[in-house]
Amino acid sequence: MAAFLFKRLVHGVIVLWVVATLTFILLRLAPGGPFDRERRLPPEVLQNIEAKYHLNESWISQYLHYLHGLIRGDLGPSYKYLDRDVNEIIADTLPASATLGGLALLFALSVSLAAGLTAACYRDSWLDRGAMFLATIGISLPHFILGALLIWAVALQLGWLQAGRWDQWSSAILPTITLGAAPAAYLAALLRSSLIETLGEDFIRTARAKGLGEITVVFKHALRHSLIPTLTVMGPLTAALLTGSFVVEYVFAIPGMGRFFITAVTDRDYPLIMGVTLVYTAILVSANLIVDLLYTTVDPRIRTT
């Protein structure tokens, strides 16, 4: 286990380095610069700004300077928010994005487990067809449309919840449903398919032949084996949810990383773009590592090597 963790940590560091390098190169290849404006700055002012952020140096020098900062845990200053650095912006915005993503993940797991089990156990019934119909809608409906519909129906028409902001627990209900609906639908369909296949296996027929109850057969034998495909997609799905959705955060006016990332792209704020990208990558690597460790819990036949 220790050797496995060490190897995966080394791989994770390599992935972070590759992502940082590719992002650095792509941003430098993009047309325009971070301080290009419709109204050009005086040459003396532009030279001073470029010297402050090392933009007047060669790409190699800028790259080495950035890597040196990464090693020290410094993501650099923001070009847009002159009084703040990237570390401070991420520290302020990541909790909101992570909270929203965590709630959406719990919502997706709860709904998908209930819907997938119901659809598989009552295959070809109206419950199965209804659950899969809703799952198809959930997968097909974009976030911004679902969010707008929820705001119109629940907040504006019924007046049950507020349409935006992030200042009380009820503020999280609508964005959580909006962000978690598509993952819940996808996981439900995946679990249903896997569970139906597992229920046809020989060991399930043997368990039933021994006189075990259907609840015991499903929850103790079939469900555990059926979770392997679901766990496979949980790594990237968890990372995507925990870092929040840029669209959902914008629709519900949530002060997360999404809003800053969008403005960073439009303003060519290189350090902020790279900082958010690296945070997403780090969460993705960590989530995949946790999923690999969970494999051995769900199926003891799988060994970490």
Side-chain angles (χ1 to χ4, degrees), residues 129-303:
R129 290 190 290 269
M132 290 304 98
F133 175 75
L134 292 176
T136 303
I137 294 178
I139 295 173
S140 306
L141 200 61
H143 287 326
F144 64 91
I145 294 181
L146 178 59
L149 288 175
L150 288 176
I151 290 175
W152 176 80
V154 179
L156 300 182
Q157 297 299 316
L158 299 176
W160 291 350
L161 299 169
Q162 61 185 23
R165 297 186 300 176
W166 190 257
D167 52 5
Q168 52 186 335
W169 68 268
S170 59
S171 305
I173 296 178
L174 294 184
T176 295
I177 296 174
T178 302
L179 183 58
Y186 177 73
L187 292 176
L190 185 63
L191 180 59
R192 172 191 178 273
S193 177
S194 178
L195 191 55
I196 288 177
E197 181 179 354
T198 302
L199 289 174
E201 296 287 344
D202 291 337
F203 73 93
I204 296 297
R205 286 193 289 268
T206 301
R208 286 171 173 162
K210 291 180 178 179
L212 296 178
E214 190 65 18
I215 295 179
T216 303
V217 170
V218 172
F219 284 92
K220 185 176 180 180
H221 298 280
L223 180 59
R224 186 172 184 177
H225 183 77
S226 303
L227 289 177
I228 296 296
T230 303
L231 282 177
T232 302
V233 301
M234 283 303 297
L237 180 62
T238 301
L241 290 177
L242 290 181
T243 50
S245 168
F246 301 155
V247 175
V248 174
E249 290 181 9
Y250 180 80
V251 169
F252 290 95
I254 298 174
M257 288 196 303
R259 176 168 59 90
F260 283 90
F261 184 77
I262 292 174
T263 58
V265 172
T266 57
D267 295 326
R268 299 186 181 93
D269 193 341
Y270 296 162
L272 187 53
I273 295 174
M274 297 181 68
V276 175
T277 302
L278 288 178
V279 169
Y280 177 86
T281 305
I283 295 177
L284 177 61
V285 170
S286 302
N288 284 330
L289 175 59
I290 294 174
V291 167
D292 287 342
L293 295 176
L294 288 176
Y295 276 145
T296 59
T297 302
V298 174
D299 191 346
R301 295 173 299 177
I302 301 177
R303 292 290 181 265

Side-chain angles (χ1 to χ4, degrees), residues 9-43:
L9 288 175
V10 172
H11 289 171
V13 172
I14 294 175
V15 169
L16 287 172
W17 170 70
V18 171
V19 169
T21 302
L22 291 178
T23 306
F24 178 89
I25 294 174
L26 291 175
L27 288 175
R28 293 320 189 269
L29 290 176
F35 298 102
D36 290 347
R37 299 289 187 274
E38 294 182 2
R39 183 177 179 179
R40 295 183 60 86
L41 295 173

Side-chain angles (χ1 to χ4, degrees), residues 54-134:
H54 306 280
L55 295 175
N56 60 341
E57 302 176 4
S58 65
W59 280 20
I60 296 296
S61 178
Q62 293 181 48
Y63 176 68
L64 293 177
H65 185 271
Y66 183 73
L67 285 185
H68 182 258
L70 285 183
I71 294 174
R72 295 183 291 108
D74 182 10
L75 296 175
S78 170
Y79 295 166
K80 170 66 176 179
Y81 306 95
L82 301 181
D83 57 338
R84 307 179 69 183
D85 55 31
V86 177
N87 292 58
E88 181 184 352
I89 293 174
I90 292 178
D92 290 341
T93 58
L94 181 58
S97 295
T99 300
L100 173 60
L103 293 174
L105 179 62
L106 291 176
F107 173 81
L109 291 176
S110 302
V111 172
S112 63
L113 184 61
L117 280 170
T118 301
C121 293
Y122 296 94
R123 184 181 180 183
D124 295 330
S125 68
W126 67 270
L127 288 173
D128 181 19
R129 290 190 290 269
M132 290 304 98
F133 175 75
L134 292 176

